[in-house]
């Protein structure tokens, strides 16, 4: 039977340097093996995207085998939409930072700048959604509007260094110093690309440190100014609320056969969306837990298929939408045709934000995203099946149950039409062939 699938199995030498091949050399050090696992993943990600680019492909989705991309249609249980402007009479807090509370009955606090002065809130009311564009309320009913600091810094950034000011790239903090590669060093005449270090008068939580951002000037303790390279010049802008809601309202149903690629092509023709759809789209994740009940759709699986073999049909309960604690960092879909091959010749930054200069640093808000990634905890058998660097945690039943409890806030059937549509598209016989091992776990040696 012709399945029309182009599958390539890569040996390690196809994408890894020699030092990263084979099993972890320190199996008794779980942390080192985990970092090695992530390094290997980062090498693979960019090699994979480079391969697709050379094959003249466009959008490449970077997800795990337990994650599925769906349209993020507007629903009643969506988190609050961020506001573009504060409500009348509500003071704006900028350069803000959230500090959590270990007491589950009391919220954390937020500190930042209000009217040019440092301000620290009282404990927030429980379940306060702390994110940019939101109004937060403390236990004394004092309200503050959290400014979108990233958007503000982008809007006030410089495109290039002022005359006579050196440019700093690839910065990192270590041992109290700020290290970076310097170009046009008018102070000490270092060669372009040399690594240098300077001392800043930053303190932890200091406003100056929070505003450390590409496209802006910094001043060291000697009074010397440096221009931080504008690493976000290729980033897409934030969606404004009215445009993002209009785009989400245009999303089709899974029943009509429209694909993600169809939506991307259609939205690229819209005025604002065309500008906002950059080459790297960050997508929020939503964790689905292990809770099952008798209210699931008994007609979700076509004749000849068992819904219990498919996590997307078996598990309907998920974590609160937009809550980071359960669903964690998002994933990306990248148009490799708009990324230069040079950007893919080193390992990725990380799986959640592979490309520094093309993927936004700040995660996409759930309520303004066109898509979401459903991430399935699955059964404990499936959860503990993979034997990788995270196997210690994956064999922890208590850890599994804790994750499951945090992912049972609400239920939906958004993804369930996929199987019936798939069978209709490829035919019953081919669908059974392709899905014959779904829900089956072969014994690992």
């Amino acid at each position: 039977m012709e399945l029309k699938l182009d599958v390539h199995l890569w040996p390690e030498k196809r994408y890894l340097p020699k030092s990263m091949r084979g099993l972890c050399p320190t199996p008794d050090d779980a942390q080192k093996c985990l970092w090695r696992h992530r390094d290997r993943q980062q090498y693979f990600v960019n090699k994979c995207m480079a391969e697709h680019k050379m094959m003249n492909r466009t959008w490449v989705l970077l997800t795990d085998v337990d994650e599925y991309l769906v349209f993020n249609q507007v629903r009643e249980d969506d988190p609050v939409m961020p506001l573009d402007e504060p409500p009348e009479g509500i003071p704006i807090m900028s350069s803000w930072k959230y500090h959590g509370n270990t007491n589950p009955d009391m919220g954390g606090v937020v500190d930042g700048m209000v009217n040019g002065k440092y301000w620290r809130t009282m404990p927030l009311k429980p379940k306060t959604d702390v994110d940019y564009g939101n109004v937060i309320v403390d236990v004394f009913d004092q309200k503050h509007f959290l400014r979108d600091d990233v958007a503000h810094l982008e809007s006030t950034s410089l495109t290039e260094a002022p005359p006579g000011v050196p440019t700093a790239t690839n910065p990192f903090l270590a041992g109290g110093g700020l290290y970076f590669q310097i170009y046009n060093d008018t102070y000490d005449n270092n060669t372009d690309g040399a690594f240098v270090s300077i001392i800043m008068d930053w303190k932890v939580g200091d406003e100056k440190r929070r505003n450390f951002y590409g496209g802006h000037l910094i001043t060291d303790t000697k009074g010397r100014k440096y221009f931080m390279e504008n690493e976000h010049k290729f980033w897409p802008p934030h969606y404004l609320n009215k445009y993002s809601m209009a785009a989400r309202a245009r999303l089709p149903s899974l029943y009509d056969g429209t694909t993600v690629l169809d939506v991307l092509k259609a939205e690229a023709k819209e005025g604002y969306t065309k500008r906002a759809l950059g080459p790297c789209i960050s997508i929020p994740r939503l964790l689905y837990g292990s809770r099952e009940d008798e209210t699931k759709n008994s007609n979700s699986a076509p004749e000849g298929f068992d819904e219990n073999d498919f996590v997307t049909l078996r598990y309907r309960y998920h974590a609160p939408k937009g809550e980071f604690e359960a669903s964690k960092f998002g994933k990306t879909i990248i148009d490799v045709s708009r990324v230069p091959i040079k950007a893919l010749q080193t390992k990725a930054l990380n799986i959640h934000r592979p490309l520094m200069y093309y993927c936004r640093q700040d995660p996409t808000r759930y309520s303004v995203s066109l898509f979401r990634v459903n991430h399935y905890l699955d059964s404990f058998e499936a959860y503990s099946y993979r034997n990788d660097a995270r196997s210690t945690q994956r064999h922890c039943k208590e850890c599994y149950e804790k994750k499951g409890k945090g992912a049972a806030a609400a239920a939906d059937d958004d993804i369930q039409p996929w199987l019936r549509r798939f069978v209709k598209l490829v035919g019953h016989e081919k669908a059974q062939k392709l899905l014959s091992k779904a829900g089956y776990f072969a014994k690992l040696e």
Side-chain angles (χ1 to χ4, degrees):
M1 179 187 298
E2 177 57 54
L3 300 179
K4 295 184 179 179
L5 289 176
D6 187 15
V7 179
H8 294 249
L9 297 178
W10 282 5
E12 288 185 335
K13 64 180 181 180
R14 178 68 177 79
Y15 64 96
L16 287 175
K18 286 185 178 181
S19 61
M20 299 301 296
R21 298 173 194 170
L23 299 175
C24 179
T26 56
D28 295 330
D29 191 329
Q31 191 62 35
K32 283 186 177 180
C33 287
L34 177 59
W35 282 109
R36 178 184 173 86
H37 165 82
R38 289 174 177 168
D39 275 344
R40 288 163 57 93
Q41 185 181 57
Q42 290 158 16
Y43 278 110
F44 172 79
V45 163
N46 272 15
K47 286 284 188 179
C48 175
M49 289 195 289
E51 180 82 358
H52 283 293
K53 182 175 180 62
M54 289 186 289
M55 297 172 69
N56 296 318
R57 303 278 172 74
T58 54
W59 293 99
V60 176
L61 176 65
L62 301 173
T63 55
D64 286 337
V65 295
D66 54 3
E67 297 173 336
Y68 303 85
L69 185 66
V70 295
F71 301 138
N72 191 29
Q73 294 167 320
V74 179
R75 295 287 185 261
E76 291 184 358
D77 63 339
D78 283 350
V80 63
M81 283 288 295
L83 302 173
D84 294 326
E85 300 291 341
E88 186 175 356
I90 304 297
I92 298 172
M93 181 178 287
S94 61
S95 304
W96 58 271
K97 185 176 182 179
Y98 175 70
H99 306 272
N101 196 321
T102 56
N103 184 348
D105 297 323
M106 187 173 291
V109 300
V110 178
D111 70 341
M113 304 299 292
V114 177
N115 295 324
K117 296 180 179 179
Y118 175 80
W119 185 268
R120 184 180 179 92
T121 70
M122 297 300 290
L124 302 179
K125 290 186 175 181
K127 298 183 178 180
T128 297
D129 188 3
V130 182
D131 212 332
Y132 71 83
N134 289 357
V135 174
I136 56 172
V137 186
D138 67 22
V139 292
F140 289 109
D141 287 326
Q142 287 189 308
K143 299 179 180 180
H144 292 89
F145 173 77
L146 299 181
R147 186 184 73 176
D148 185 345
D149 286 327
V150 172
H152 172 76
L153 289 168
E154 289 175 13
S155 68
T156 56
S157 66
L158 304 173
T159 57
E160 59 184 18
V165 177
T167 296
T169 68
N170 300 317
F172 64 92
L173 293 166
L178 176 64
Y179 295 77
F180 52 80
Q181 287 180 280
I182 194 167
Y183 293 84
N184 187 34
D185 185 359
T186 55
Y187 301 127
D188 300 316
N189 295 317
N190 283 291
T191 58
D192 284 352
F195 271 99
V196 300
S197 66
I198 60 175
I199 303 298
M200 304 296 294
D201 63 346
W202 292 338
K203 299 176 181 178
V204 175
D206 184 77
E207 181 195 12
K208 294 179 182 177
R209 183 169 179 173
R210 293 183 190 177
N211 288 330
F212 175 56
Y213 201 74
H216 290 263
L217 300 179
I218 60 172
T219 305
D220 68 7
T221 54
K222 295 180 179 180
R224 294 176 169 183
K225 295 184 182 296
Y226 300 86
F227 172 72
M228 299 308 302
E229 183 186 34
N230 191 342
E231 80 278 3
H232 52 80
K233 57 188 173 184
F234 299 118
W235 290 3
H238 278 298
Y239 278 117
L240 296 177
N241 297 334
K242 61 182 180 180
Y243 296 118
S244 63
M245 286 302 292
R248 289 183 67 194
R250 290 192 293 268
L251 288 169
S253 165
L254 284 179
Y255 288 97
D256 70 3
T258 304
T259 67
V260 169
L261 186 57
D262 293 334
V263 169
L264 288 169
K265 288 179 177 179
E267 289 299 324
K269 298 177 182 178
E270 297 289 334
Y272 179 81
T273 315
K274 182 178 181 179
R275 291 187 289 111
L277 285 179
C280 177
I281 300 177
S282 299
I283 306 169
R285 286 194 296 178
L286 184 62
L287 180 65
Y288 283 71
S290 55
R291 175 179 171 181
E292 298 182 76
D293 62 21
E294 297 178 357
T295 63
K296 58 187 175 184
N297 184 359
S298 59
N299 296 319
S300 58
E303 184 179 352
F305 296 88
D306 184 350
E307 63 184 25
N308 290 316
D309 289 338
F310 303 92
V311 292
T312 50
L313 308 185
R314 182 177 176 180
Y315 300 108
R316 304 173 54 246
Y317 283 86
H318 56 74
K321 293 178 177 178
E323 186 178 284
F324 176 82
E325 184 178 355
S327 297
K328 305 299 182 186
F329 297 100
K331 292 297 179 70
T332 57
I333 183 170
I334 296 176
D335 183 357
V336 294
S337 69
R338 289 192 279 165
V339 176
I341 192 65
K342 183 180 179 181
L344 305 174
Q345 291 175 339
T346 58
K347 68 177 184 178
L349 186 62
N350 58 61
I351 188 61
H352 305 286
R353 184 191 172 210
L355 304 174
M356 177 185 294
Y357 294 99
Y358 298 90
C359 301
R360 294 194 64 91
Q361 180 179 2
D362 49 327
T364 299
R365 290 284 295 270
Y366 182 96
S367 50
V368 299
S369 179
L370 275 174
F371 310 108
R372 76 166 188 252
V373 172
N374 286 6
H375 181 198
Y376 288 86
L377 188 64
D378 208 336
S379 65
F380 184 68
E381 179 188 14
Y383 180 79
S384 58
Y385 178 72
R386 279 188 277 175
N387 187 24
D388 58 25
R390 300 165 294 179
S391 59
T392 301
Q393 183 182 19
R394 286 187 170 277
H395 287 90
C396 170
K397 187 70 176 289
E398 183 181 353
C399 304
Y400 169 80
E401 291 174 347
K402 183 179 180 180
K403 282 190 174 184
K405 288 180 181 179
D412 71 55
D413 298 316
D414 288 351
I415 201 172
Q416 294 207 354
W418 81 266
L419 182 54
R420 287 188 174 277
R421 179 68 194 176
F422 181 72
V423 172
K424 182 179 180 180
L425 180 66
V426 305
H428 198 278
E429 182 181 359
K430 185 180 290 188
Q432 284 195 314
K433 177 72 173 179
L434 287 166
L435 302 172
S436 62
K437 296 294 184 180
Y440 169 74
F441 298 94
K443 184 178 179 180
L444 295 175
E445 298 297 336

